[in-house]
Amino acid sequence: RQEAEKETKAQRIERNRTNAYKLQKRLRDIKHKATKVIHLSPGRGCPGCGKRSLEPSTDVSRRTIIDIIPTKNGIKKNIVEYRGEHASCQECKNFHVPGALETWKGNQLYGHGFKAWVIYPRVALRLPYNSIVESLQEQFQEKINLSSIPNFMKSLAGYYAGTEQGMMAHILQRPCIHA
């Protein structure tokens, strides 16, 4: 039994490694298809020590985000590549990336609009995950993993938690609540 568990752990490690390679390949392919490139300037001061002058560096950080944006006649998929030069502080000897690049977590690939578009059919229409993935493939030529949908829900739940609390406080202040 322990040998079987060790084997499954080894298989799991290999599967994770393979998936990571596939994701990196996909990210490399997407960079060539970016519809828009936005150049970000480094921050005005060092966030660590507060010194105002930062020395520019030759290193560049890139982040590609796939999002859905509204247009006059509907919606469209938008792929934006954000590029930002690193800067170094001479006083504390730290390198800093532009603050806008730090707003996305880890290897986030999808933007807010895309996540909302995926979650709507699940929450409002109660569609199964497979149907949502199929519709994304048909409409936007984007193939996502089934496990991405709960992650999107968790991400947007955190984003809208403050809104929910504000609405709940507003409802509870009313003299009459209709159920």
Side-chain angles (χ1 to χ4, degrees):
R1 184 175 180 178
Q2 289 178 345
E3 290 178 23
E5 286 180 19
K6 288 181 183 177
E7 186 176 70
T8 58
K9 287 180 183 179
Q11 289 173 343
R12 187 178 327 126
I13 289 170
E14 184 61 33
R15 182 173 33 92
N16 289 343
R17 190 174 293 145
T18 304
N19 289 341
Y21 289 138
K22 288 179 184 177
L23 177 63
Q24 291 302 319
K25 183 180 183 302
R26 180 182 156 105
L27 289 174
R28 279 194 305 271
D29 293 343
I30 287 173
K31 288 180 183 175
H32 299 293
K33 298 189 296 183
T35 56
K36 190 177 188 181
V37 177
I38 297 177
H39 295 277
L40 303 170
S41 61
R44 295 183 180 193
C46 177
C49 66
K51 186 177 177 189
R52 284 286 180 204
S53 62
L54 293 174
E55 295 293 323
S57 173
T58 57
D59 295 334
V60 176
S61 290
R62 293 184 173 102
R63 178 62 60 122
T64 303
I65 300 292
I66 299 172
D67 210 351
I68 294 175
I69 58 170
T71 63
K72 182 179 178 183
N73 297 325
I75 59 169
K76 76 172 193 172
K77 180 172 82 169
N78 191 24
I79 302 174
V80 179
E81 181 177 329
Y82 295 90
R83 292 182 187 177
E85 295 178 359
H86 292 203
S88 62
C89 177
Q90 297 301 320
E91 190 140 335
C92 64
K93 306 291 186 207
N94 287 331
F95 280 93
H96 304 288
V97 297
L101 286 175
E102 293 177 349
T103 59
W104 295 289
K105 297 176 186 170
N107 58 356
Q108 179 180 342
L109 181 61
Y110 300 106
H112 185 87
F114 190 90
K115 291 177 184 178
W117 185 263
V118 171
I119 289 175
Y120 174 77
R122 179 63 184 165
V123 173
L125 306 176
R126 297 182 182 175
L127 289 179
Y129 292 164
N130 290 332
S131 298
I132 296 169
V133 170
E134 285 177 25
S135 70
L136 282 173
Q137 179 68 33
E138 290 174 10
Q139 295 171 356
F140 302 109
Q141 291 74 43
E142 280 298 321
K143 185 173 181 178
I144 65 168
N145 194 343
L146 289 175
S147 65
S148 297
I149 297 173
N151 292 338
F152 290 172
M153 294 174 78
K154 190 177 195 180
S155 170
L156 290 185
Y159 180 82
Y160 287 111
T163 304
E164 179 188 14
Q165 290 173 354
M167 289 172 61
M168 189 60 76
H170 183 71
I171 289 171
L172 294 175
Q173 288 176 350
R174 298 289 174 196
C176 183
I177 298 175
H178 297 281

